[in-house]
Amino acid sequence: MWQAPSDIVLISDPRVAAVPVRECGEPLVDMRGRLRVDTRMADPAGAYAHLREGLATRLEQAERLLPAGYHLLLVEGYRPIPTQRGIFDAYVAELHEAYPGISPEEAHVAASRYVSPVEVAPHTAGAAIDLTLCDPDGAEYDMGTQVNDNPEESGGACYTAAPGISAEARGHRKILAAALEPAGLVNYPTEWWHWSYGDRYWAFTVSAEHVHYGPVEF
């Protein structure tokens, strides 16, 4: 099993869950027509294309910070709670099958390298976006792995600072970060494509006193 580096705080860490939520009430907004939105994770209701307004405006700011020839390509934003729970439980089951000796507690923590436990999940709050970079024609740049490749599939290359990726892919990840970080987003360092604002992991990372966005119904 690919372990996260010891300096990475996983989203399952109790310190993350301990940050209190003070819901600000911002609406979910549709990003289609505002930025480039990919359809690979599309659901019939279009939930995947929605984000909290505060995150949406920050992504528009990040888009303007990218160098010429680069654009954000949004893959998945809001995720309903039942969907989040199903993805997490399926990955836990996959880990138990691959590693029969793993305990329930170990599987829970290991799964959080790739998908958040529902109780702290930023996607269910409309506070996280999975995204990549594309050129003006929509062709995706080499980022070292595909969006949503898990640690086992990618040999750990999904970790943002993974050492084994090409110089070109590393450069593209730096371009992405150089636009998103000034706009106020934080990265989940086990997934180069996952960035958030206003959720528990963001609050923990920036030492905010509280969370802006809690779970929300679409």
Side-chain angles (χ1 to χ4, degrees), residues 53-63 179-180 183-185 197 213:
E53 178 62 43
L55 175 53
T57 57
R58 283 168 173 77
L59 287 171
E60 289 173 326
Q61 177 186 346
E63 173 79 8
L180 293 171
L185 280 71
Y197 168 79
Y213 308 132

Side-chain angles (χ1 to χ4, degrees), residues 40-41 75-76 79 114 123 130 145-151 153 158 191-193:
R40 77 190 75 174
M41 300 300 294
V75 175
E76 187 178 20
R79 192 181 291 157
Y114 175 63
H123 282 286
D130 296 336
T145 77
Q146 296 297 310
V147 172
N148 289 332
D149 279 354
N150 68 40
E153 292 170 330
C158 60
E191 302 175 334
W192 62 261
W193 59 84

Side-chain angles (χ1 to χ4, degrees), residues 71-86:
H71 297 281
L72 300 177
L73 182 62
L74 311 188
V75 175
E76 187 178 20
Y78 176 75
R79 192 181 291 157
I81 289 174
T83 302
Q84 181 74 30
R85 182 176 290 112

Side-chain angles (χ1 to χ4, degrees), residues 1 33 36 54 62 71 90 101 103 142 162 178 184 192 213:
M1 182 188 303
R36 290 165 175 79
H71 297 281
S103 71
D142 176 14
W192 62 261
Y213 308 132

